[in-house]
Amino acid sequence: MTKELDLLDIQGNVLRVYGRFRYPVARYVFLNLRDSAKGRAFVGAVTGRVTTSANWGPGPDQVPQPDWTVNIAFTYQGLKELELPRTSLIGFSPEFVAGMKGRKDILGDDGPSSPQYWDPIWRENRETREQDVHVFISLNAHTKGLLEDGYAWLKGVIEATQGGVVLLSGHLGDNHAVMDYQDGQAVMENGQPSAKEHFGYTDGIGDPVFEGLPRGSASVLGRGKQMADGSWAPLAVGEFLLGHIDEAQEYPPAPNPILLSRNGTYMVYRKLHENVGTFNAYLDEHAKHFPGGKELLAAKFVGRWRDNGAPLVKAPDQASKAAFDAQLAAADPQGQDALLSSFTYDDDMSGGRCPFSAHIRRINPRASLEFTRDPTDVPGSLKVSKDAFDTPGALTNRRRILRRGLPYGEVKDPTRDDGNHGIIIMILNVDINRQFEFVQQQWINYGNDFKAANDKEILLGNHSADERFASKAVIQVDPNGDDPPYFLSKIPRLVETRGGDYFFVPSMTALRMIAKGLVDPT
């Protein structure tokens, strides 16, 4: 039986990718609480305008789509300032309590990604609690003008607290200007918002589908979990929302009371700078030697072709891509989604199509990590086994994450790294350690699960500038062919962390409880 979610109780940015609903611009604002009572009053005022996951439309069970959206989340220190009971506070996860800077070693935020180089608002050397980030507010809008309307409303609510809530500055913008907010904006193509990011890849494909989502919101093929018979089913709600059963048939750990945690989740906010000049130079240099040419090599970095996201598993070369593109052009939106998302690595266990260090293979291995001993082969060897677990993706289903966010800035010189351009990524999950941190540490910055030793994921890996620890990656080939593999050597750091933290995204019920000071864990 399909589980029904209370859409009116879940914040809208949890279930919706706003960019797909004609919100190409966003503004992210961070606040400090100076007075607990005024802070709770502020939460109450914002809650009245928070966008929920309710269906948009003219129907009797729908609500009008807003011109701009509002969503809110809190750091652990912010919840303390709002005076949540200690019995509730101790129920939050230790990763959330520590915060992103406290987990930098786990995340591989070293070298140019070290917190000392983050935007001023996130740096380690802040001297007082009055500089701590307590509250996150996101505004998404149809146009820049409407975004300014939303921001003016928010500033009015802040000013009404008479110093009880303070907007924090410290976001680096163009020409190193220090801004009061972080803007996000879709990359424009031919004057229209696109799904691209600054390296030129089509982004945002394959977000997980789980039980209870509004019908028709996305195809389950490739986005859910693969079952033993090869069919697809939605993932368990409890992988993404607290207070629900997860893939282990358990309730994920959560703070008390249940009304505080149910329908809430954790959010990982990260500002990632993209070294566009370095990326272009590295790609151009290796494209001179790679047999398939520049665009195929770029596709090997990620596992998808840059122009439309066609997966290499289905379109491994130019000829097969042309056929795939024709199918894509003829399909309706749901059919296009299925074409782009519904694949596994069952027929590519050698990595000859999609390399083991490619971005999409590391982020979601799609049931390709279930190995068992092969008694007919050499001692100690491994083979893929579809019987290794109850379902083909049992190992990876517990590592799935929801992705939100937008690119920021504009690439004004594609040969340089020092511009203001990158991506704001917001990851939603119920267990920061089991989901986001595991993927970041074990699959992005380490390759052992993929039988790739220390090889990192090509785009996001924390590659070292020190030649003693230089990164490499292997572009595998068809083992039945005659072509040799291609080796990427001395991979530079292509993406650098510029800030972020861990947040709790409460339900609407929890927001009202917090605002009224009625959180009672007894």
Side-chain angles (χ1 to χ4, degrees):
M1 185 177 71
T2 301
K3 186 183 296 294
E4 290 188 7
L5 296 176
D6 185 353
L7 301 182
L8 285 168
D9 196 42
I10 302 167
Q11 291 202 48
N13 59 339
V14 175
L15 298 192
R16 285 193 180 98
V17 180
Y18 282 145
R20 297 176 186 162
F21 293 86
R22 297 182 294 109
Y23 295 110
V25 291
R27 183 161 293 173
Y28 310 116
V29 181
F30 300 87
L31 310 171
N32 179 269
L33 303 175
R34 306 280 172 87
D35 180 281
S36 297
K38 292 179 178 179
R40 290 191 295 272
F42 170 81
V43 172
V46 171
T47 298
R49 189 61 176 75
V50 164
T51 306
T52 72
S53 293
N55 289 315
W56 290 331
D61 59 343
Q62 297 176 317
V63 299
Q65 183 174 353
D67 290 332
W68 43 274
T69 67
V70 181
N71 292 105
I72 186 170
F74 307 92
T75 62
Y76 177 75
Q77 295 301 324
L79 295 175
K80 285 180 66 177
E81 293 295 330
L82 289 167
E83 297 182 334
L84 264 66
R86 176 171 173 76
T87 306
S88 295
L89 290 171
I90 62 176
F92 286 98
S93 74
E95 300 79 32
F96 173 63
V97 175
M100 187 176 291
K101 286 194 297 292
R103 307 288 289 177
K104 62 183 180 181
D105 294 334
I106 293 290
L107 302 178
D109 284 334
D110 57 12
S113 292
S114 297
Q116 69 192 84
Y117 301 118
W118 291 3
D119 284 7
I121 189 172
W122 304 112
R123 287 184 190 160
E124 292 180 304
N125 58 356
R126 293 173 301 171
E127 297 177 355
T128 70
R129 290 171 57 188
E130 293 186 345
Q131 295 173 298
D132 287 342
V133 171
H134 293 152
V135 183
F136 162 87
I137 302 282
S138 63
L139 304 168
N140 290 70
H142 292 315
T143 67
K144 289 184 177 180
L146 291 170
L147 183 63
E148 293 298 339
D149 290 345
Y151 186 56
W153 165 83
L154 178 60
K155 287 197 295 184
V157 180
I158 294 171
E159 290 167 4
T161 69
Q162 298 180 326
V165 178
V166 176
L167 187 151
L168 293 172
S169 185
H171 306 272
L172 294 183
D174 289 344
N175 301 315
H176 299 284
V178 179
M179 309 292 291
D180 290 341
Y181 47 78
Q182 175 65 59
D183 269 352
Q185 177 178 313
V187 172
M188 305 298 285
E189 259 191 353
N190 302 318
Q192 296 296 319
S194 74
K196 296 291 184 70
E197 49 72 58
H198 295 303
F199 290 148
Y201 295 95
T202 298
D203 200 12
I205 301 172
D207 212 39
V209 168
F210 53 95
E211 294 173 336
L213 289 178
R215 188 173 298 176
S217 59
S219 169
V220 71
L221 297 177
R223 291 191 175 207
K225 58 185 177 183
Q226 190 184 13
M227 307 304 289
D229 62 0
S231 64
W232 294 86
L235 288 153
V237 180
E239 295 298 313
F240 309 103
L241 287 172
L242 296 167
H244 298 268
I245 296 293
D246 62 20
E247 284 292 322
Q249 297 299 302
E250 300 173 343
Y251 287 99
N256 288 319
I258 186 63
L259 289 177
L260 172 65
S261 57
R262 183 177 170 82
N263 289 332
T265 191
Y266 291 109
M267 180 183 79
V268 177
Y269 175 98
R270 278 168 83 77
K271 180 177 181 178
L272 301 176
H273 173 77
E274 293 179 282
N275 288 323
V276 173
T278 295
F279 172 84
N280 288 331
Y282 190 76
L283 178 61
D284 287 342
E285 178 60 30
H286 280 273
K288 297 174 184 176
H289 312 287
F290 184 68
K294 180 177 177 179
E295 284 307 312
L296 179 57
L297 180 59
K300 294 286 187 179
F301 285 7
V302 165
R304 294 185 183 274
W305 293 85
R306 288 204 289 184
D307 58 350
N308 60 8
L312 283 175
V313 169
K314 290 187 171 184
D317 51 37
Q318 291 287 358
S320 56
K321 183 179 185 299
F324 182 90
D325 289 353
Q327 284 184 282
L328 200 64
D332 60 20
Q334 189 163 4
Q336 291 176 341
D337 184 79
L339 283 169
L340 292 170
S341 301
S342 60
F343 63 89
T344 69
Y345 298 110
D346 288 354
D347 297 324
D348 186 37
M349 295 310 299
S350 68
R353 294 188 174 195
C354 182
F356 294 127
S357 292
H359 174 73
I360 67 168
R361 193 155 190 163
R362 290 295 184 98
I363 298 298
N364 180 11
R366 295 173 180 259
S368 63
L369 298 183
E370 283 74 29
F371 295 92
T372 186
R373 298 294 170 187
D374 184 355
T376 66
D377 209 338
V378 296
S381 66
L382 298 174
K383 69 173 183 177
V384 178
S385 171
K386 293 184 179 180
D387 300 320
F389 295 95
D390 291 338
T391 64
L395 181 63
T396 57
N397 292 342
R398 308 303 313 283
R399 316 294 182 189
R400 303 292 292 279
I401 53 178
L402 298 175
R403 275 193 53 193
R404 305 290 181 258
L406 281 170
Y408 71 87
E410 179 184 355
V411 177
K412 298 177 180 178
D413 185 345
T415 68
R416 298 176 64 92
D417 292 336
D418 56 359
N420 171 43
H421 43 68
I423 190 166
I424 302 297
I425 185 169
M426 291 174 284
I427 292 168
L428 301 171
N429 48 201
V430 299
D431 191 319
I432 295 171
N433 177 261
R434 171 169 56 81
Q435 291 167 281
F436 165 68
E437 289 188 344
F438 182 95
V439 171
Q440 183 73 22
Q441 182 191 44
Q442 295 295 323
W443 288 352
I444 290 177
N445 287 328
Y446 194 48
N448 194 51
D449 284 356
F450 300 84
K451 314 306 174 193
N454 290 327
D455 288 4
K456 305 175 188 293
E457 192 259 278
I458 296 169
L459 280 192
L460 298 182
N462 61 339
H463 307 295
S464 176
D466 189 331
E467 292 195 1
R468 295 175 300 171
F469 309 107
S471 294
K472 68 170 179 64
V474 182
I475 305 297
Q476 287 87 11
V477 295
D478 183 349
N480 297 315
D482 297 324
D483 295 329
Y486 185 85
F487 291 88
L488 294 171
S489 59
K490 298 181 181 178
I491 303 174
R493 191 165 309 204
L494 302 174
V495 173
E496 298 173 3
T497 308
R498 292 290 168 84
D501 212 336
Y502 294 158
F503 293 85
F504 174 62
V505 184
S507 68
M508 300 303 296
T509 297
L511 285 174
R512 296 182 185 106
M513 292 168 57
I514 291 169
K516 294 179 181 295
L518 296 178
V519 177
D520 184 1
T522 60

